[in-house]
Amino acid sequence: MRYQVTAQHLAHIFPELTLKHERLLNQLNLDLGHLQLLRDGYQAWDSQDQRFWLLLLALVDAVNQGSLCLDLNHPTVNHHLQTIGLTQGLALATTQDWQQFKLNQQPVIKFEQGCLYFTKYWQLETQLQLALKRLLRQYTGVRFTAVQVATAAQQVTGELSFEQIEDKQVLAIVVSLLQPFSIISGGPGTGKTTIMSSVLRGLMLLGYEAKDVCLAAPTGRAANRMTESLHEVLSHRIKVPAVTDAELISIEATTIHRLLGARAQWRGFQYGEHNPLDCKVLVVDEVSMVDVALMRQLLQAIPLGCRVILLGDQFQLPSVDSGAVLADLMPPVGSTGEYSSDMWQKLEVALTPFNCKAELMAELNTIESAFMLTDHVTVLDVSKRNQKDIAELSESVRLGDSDAMFKQLSLASIDTNGQVAGDMAAWNWVEQIGVYWLPTQTDNQAWQETYLQWIQWHYFKSAIQFKSIITELNDFDQSSLTTYHNQLDQLFAVINSNRILTLVNDTLVGSLHINAQIAEMMKQRLAVTGSENRFHGSVIMLGQNSPSLGLFNGDVAILLAANNGQLRAVLPNKSGYRSHSIHVLPRFTSAYAITVHKSQGSEFNHVLMPLPEDEQHRLLSREIIYTGLTRAKQSVGIYAQRSTLETAVKRQTTRYSGLRFWYNQEH
């Protein structure tokens, strides 16, 4: 829990300084933990320079915004410093002897190449960069010739049941087979799962075995989704499955923490720099969600003979904790498609079997001096999952083009009863539009009626069997769950088809309030009783992991009344469905509305996304809007004031770091 910082705190910590306390609190994101560190420094260090302490307060703000450092080279940072009364920040930092500022005989601050750090974050950054350089330069495993890669890539892509595979997908597969370390970035529907399965199948052809492979993701839900997606391709998208496909299907993705053997009681890991993992191929999905500390630990734990494939979407929300590692790993704008002359020659051979070779090679350029990650990154830009209008809208948001966004959005009106275009059935018409904008209503009751009508349309009108199946499953036989698979399939088809995605938990547009109102409505519609979200037919999401039960934060289940009088949580698994007594579940909430952060790695046919009214809300950014939009496949509605939505799309989240993967040339 973060306690509220007050003007009195600042006055107490810096008693001799004439700081404008209230103004600083309004402009900086400060926390007591870092302020107590500065308090100790203020008492121990010989400095009464007010500008010095303003600089360190700005560093605290930067860290609390997710940055690893205060980048004094950046114009935006210097403009922000001016708003708190500090000019010439770089000159000030350059003149300091930062080594003298110690606590417990350890340096607290590090200044390097114009970036000011707390030592902890400088060490994480440095160790991450060294670990990556080690994997790139000292790989000891098998490398394949371009001819071998061409043969394997041609076979695995030819065995896909798709009518056509995109050119960039072919390039990503070939690069990942040529390079022991590769990064693939792309939005939903750009084919990352197809590429992952094809690369793994290619590696099997080239001599690897399924037991050599580890799959990992940042969260339990993301790991489950990774497993499900891989199983879907291998089970249903291969023309003639091989024996090795069945072996690959047996692989279960795990969380990065479990892979590394996280030890909560010691706040450490079993695997790391001095005790590497036992794997020859590691694939990590949803890398945008991985913070700098976890990525450092993971890279240090990877053995030198292991091939690595990192997957993610660089434009999604960054990690909850510090850093934006995937964004740092990506090439600067305008540098995609640049390869060393050696790699270009290998690609020319490896792409020979493909009709797209000439077009692809024409788009690739050679550079004389390669950077650390040159030849290792592929950016995908063609999405086939989202409805066309959603893909175009998401692209406008990604580019920060609010004018184009509003031209693409269809305006939908809401009456005082929360009805769209006259009645509930009109939701069908609205959602056929694909993307629509619902302007914020001054009447809060109208908003409540809007989302209640939206949920009722999806649960009871467009899916008329939901209530009858819930009634049928009342008093179900928990010992014969397999007999209910057909009904459960229909229920989860409804549940997984729609979601309200919020930016916040609190307020009238937050998930907690919305879920509470929907739960009461659902009890009335289903004609059941129960307290809060504990009732027959309640849709819930787990909020904690329970590894012993195989349950993970983000898992969605439905509560059903069993024949022993208990509510049981029923949720899908690899072989069908399983159930657990409500009494053994970890913490859970209703799942009709979830935050955009929780939705990462998921997809829904229909999404409704309400935004906070406060235009200055710290969570409003183009990244969170983009992430919410790209969860939707068929329709997405945004409930917001025009000015709020415009502000969000124009505000880009920037997390500063000193990571320089694309600026230090490798000779």
Side-chain angles (χ1 to χ4, degrees), residues 76-281:
T76 303
V77 172
N78 285 298
H79 176 74
H80 182 52
L81 292 178
Q82 291 174 15
T83 65
I84 63 171
L86 181 60
T87 59
Q88 302 296 319
L90 180 60
L92 174 63
T94 303
T95 59
Q96 302 296 321
D97 179 12
W98 294 102
Q99 285 296 317
Q100 70 172 312
F101 299 113
K102 298 180 179 180
L103 291 174
N104 297 321
Q105 300 182 333
Q106 297 296 320
V108 176
I109 309 295
K110 184 75 176 179
F111 181 67
E112 185 175 86
Q113 297 182 343
C115 295
L116 192 66
Y117 299 83
F118 286 114
T119 302
K120 166 188 173 181
Y121 296 104
W122 175 82
Q123 290 173 339
L124 286 172
E125 227 182 57
T126 303
Q127 292 164 0
L128 187 154
Q129 192 136 345
L130 288 173
L132 179 57
K133 186 177 292 186
R134 176 185 69 95
L135 292 174
L136 293 172
R137 290 182 174 179
Q138 301 177 32
Y139 175 70
T140 59
V142 180
R143 293 181 184 270
F144 306 111
T145 68
V147 173
Q148 289 175 306
V149 168
T151 302
Q154 181 184 29
Q155 180 171 335
V156 296
T157 55
E159 291 172 346
L160 291 169
S161 61
F162 308 141
E163 291 184 5
Q164 183 179 0
I165 184 170
E166 291 295 326
D167 296 356
K168 287 289 185 68
Q169 293 176 346
V170 172
L171 179 63
I173 293 167
V174 167
V175 169
S176 297
L177 291 174
L178 285 171
Q179 293 287 9
F181 187 99
S182 61
I183 305 169
I184 302 164
S185 176
T190 52
K192 296 189 295 292
T193 302
T194 299
I195 294 165
M196 171 178 65
S197 60
S198 297
V199 171
L200 291 176
R201 297 184 77 241
L203 291 174
M204 299 303 106
L205 290 175
L206 292 166
Y208 282 86
E209 299 179 31
K211 64 181 180 62
D212 299 328
V213 178
C214 287
L215 307 177
T219 66
R221 176 62 193 138
N224 288 345
R225 177 67 183 159
M226 186 182 190
T227 301
E228 293 165 1
S229 299
L230 180 61
H231 290 177
E232 169 66 20
V233 173
L234 295 175
S235 300
H236 304 293
R237 306 296 178 88
I238 307 299
K239 293 176 183 175
V240 182
V243 173
T244 52
D245 292 330
E247 296 171 353
L248 287 173
I249 288 176
S250 68
I251 302 173
E252 296 281 346
T254 186
T255 64
I256 298 174
H257 282 86
R258 293 194 74 189
L259 177 72
L260 294 173
R263 295 167 168 171
Q265 62 272 34
W266 297 319
R267 294 188 178 182
F269 297 89
Q270 178 182 354
Y271 297 102
E273 185 176 12
H274 304 294
N275 184 30
L277 294 164
D278 181 19
C279 62
K280 295 180 181 179
V281 178

